[in-house]
Amino acid sequence: MTAQIIDGKAIAQQVRAEWKLRADALKARGVTPGMAVIIVGSDPASKVYVAGKVRACAELGLYSIHVELPEDTSEAVLLAKIDELNHDPKIHGLLVQLPLPKHLNAHKVIEAINPDKDVDGFHEKNIGALVTGETPFPSCTPYGVMVMLEKTGIRVEGKHAVVVGRSNIVGKPMALLLLHKNATVTICTSKTVDLAKHTRDADILVAAVGRPNFITGDMVKPGAVVIDVGINRTADGKLCGDVDFASVKQVAGYLTPVPGGVGPMTITMLVANTVRAAERLSGLSK
Ligand code: GUN
């Protein structure tokens, strides 16, 4: 079997067009959705991600600002900037790019963001709401995976979904979103004993472990849907996922590539969450 490759770029374009209509409807009522991204320091990967976020906003006609703070920014200065943007009526979505320099407490910083502007869905209030299935802002990467599955016509209900990775950004929210759609969910980590026993039982396998080519063809059930969330760089600087594309392609039924798979969906859902934040803050939706 050769897997069908899921084209994340094409699906992202389609979903962006849908959200552009919602953004345009808001603009017709005098509200331009606005996003602010704060980046502290000069991590090269973070800079690339932030540039992609700002570009996506421009593509959909959203207002965006990009605040660059130096590596040695104090907690007080960062919190003051967050407070200023929390109160800026032109800004509906506010995020602080992670990872932060080591001297800053990411938890404290995230908790300072107004939960109604927390388009990453990282604030404890929104994580709590994610658990009950009520969050307005599902975390962008898992949200993008769910939309990608839906647009590909892959049903989740009743399937065994195995998530490899337990991060707050991807693994945990991914498992919850799958559970809300009535999947049977197993969460594994890179340290799970006999990991392949679990992954081989997956109808839907999500790899979010942050290790290059970690999931190999022998770990996949024939015909399974394999979603690769990893973005890693090999020693020669090439981008690769957590899934060994060449071997898994021979076994899986569906497979997402890196790049061009989950990545474009993540940014798309960030824009979607920003439009939803603008709708909510302007009283046009719940
Ligand atoms: N760093 C890597 N992924 C993300 C993300 O989704 N949001 C933020 N704020 N930082 C990240």
Side-chain angles (χ1 to χ4, degrees):
M1 169 178 282
T2 302
Q4 186 170 323
I5 306 304
I6 300 178
D7 185 346
K9 255 187 172 166
I11 298 173
Q13 281 306 327
Q14 182 194 343
V15 176
R16 283 181 199 197
E18 291 165 12
W19 281 94
K20 183 169 187 308
L21 295 178
R22 280 173 73 161
D24 288 348
L26 269 177
K27 283 161 86 175
R29 301 175 82 157
V31 179
T32 299
M35 182 178 81
V37 188
I38 301 176
I39 179 168
V40 185
S42 53
D43 177 64
S46 290
K47 282 189 144 185
V48 172
Y49 296 145
V50 168
K53 292 172 183 182
V54 170
R55 210 166 36 241
C57 282
E59 192 186 309
L60 271 79
L62 269 58
Y63 170 70
S64 72
I65 61 169
H66 170 194
V67 178
E68 283 191 61
L69 298 174
E71 183 85 23
D72 62 355
T73 298
S74 68
E75 183 179 280
V77 166
L78 177 55
L79 293 180
K81 191 72 202 172
I82 291 172
D83 188 55
E84 178 194 321
L85 294 165
N86 276 344
H87 292 95
D88 184 339
K90 293 196 298 304
I91 298 302
H92 307 97
L94 168 57
L95 67 101
V96 178
Q97 188 65 24
L98 302 176
L100 284 169
K102 290 216 165 32
H103 67 282
L104 294 168
N105 179 336
H107 182 254
K108 192 168 175 190
V109 168
I110 288 167
E111 291 307 299
I113 295 173
N114 175 354
D116 290 326
K117 295 190 176 186
D118 168 40
V119 285
D120 262 334
F122 292 170
H123 190 285
E124 281 179 355
K125 179 169 184 240
N126 290 320
I127 293 178
L130 177 72
V131 174
T132 58
E134 302 289 333
T135 180
F137 307 125
S139 320
C140 302
T141 298
Y143 184 17
V145 170
M146 295 307 289
V147 172
M148 198 179 214
L149 292 172
E150 188 191 320
K151 297 285 182 191
T152 309
I154 295 165
R155 282 181 60 84
V156 167
E157 184 164 290
K159 303 268 178 68
H160 184 199
V162 175
V163 179
V164 187
R166 37 135 286 189
S167 70
N168 291 334
I169 295 184
V170 183
K172 286 180 209 162
M174 185 78 253
L176 285 164
L177 292 181
L178 288 161
L179 190 60
H180 289 317
K181 291 287 179 192
N182 292 318
T184 300
V185 181
T186 300
I187 308 176
C188 298
T189 73
S190 60
K191 302 205 169 46
T192 297
V193 173
D194 201 358
L195 177 63
K197 182 181 87 180
H198 299 281
T199 58
R200 268 199 296 269
D201 194 48
D203 302 309
I204 298 170
L205 177 60
V206 181
V209 76
R211 295 209 189 170
N213 304 322
F214 187 70
I215 303 289
T216 47
D218 57 314
M219 298 169 76
V220 172
K221 174 156 95 176
V225 177
V226 180
I227 306 291
D228 189 353
V229 177
I231 302 182
N232 311 292
R233 281 206 190 266
T234 58
D236 56 1
K238 271 181 65 179
L239 219 52
C240 77
D242 290 353
V243 173
D244 178 45
F245 190 83
S247 66
V248 171
K249 196 173 115 182
Q250 305 304 322
V251 184
Y254 290 89
L255 175 60
T256 65
V258 176
V262 174
M265 294 302 296
T266 296
I267 294 186
T268 300
M269 300 337 289
L270 178 67
V271 175
N273 278 349
T274 302
V275 174
R276 194 181 295 110
E279 289 173 347
R280 295 175 83 240
L281 287 164
S282 57
L284 296 171
S285 95
K286 278 213 288 180

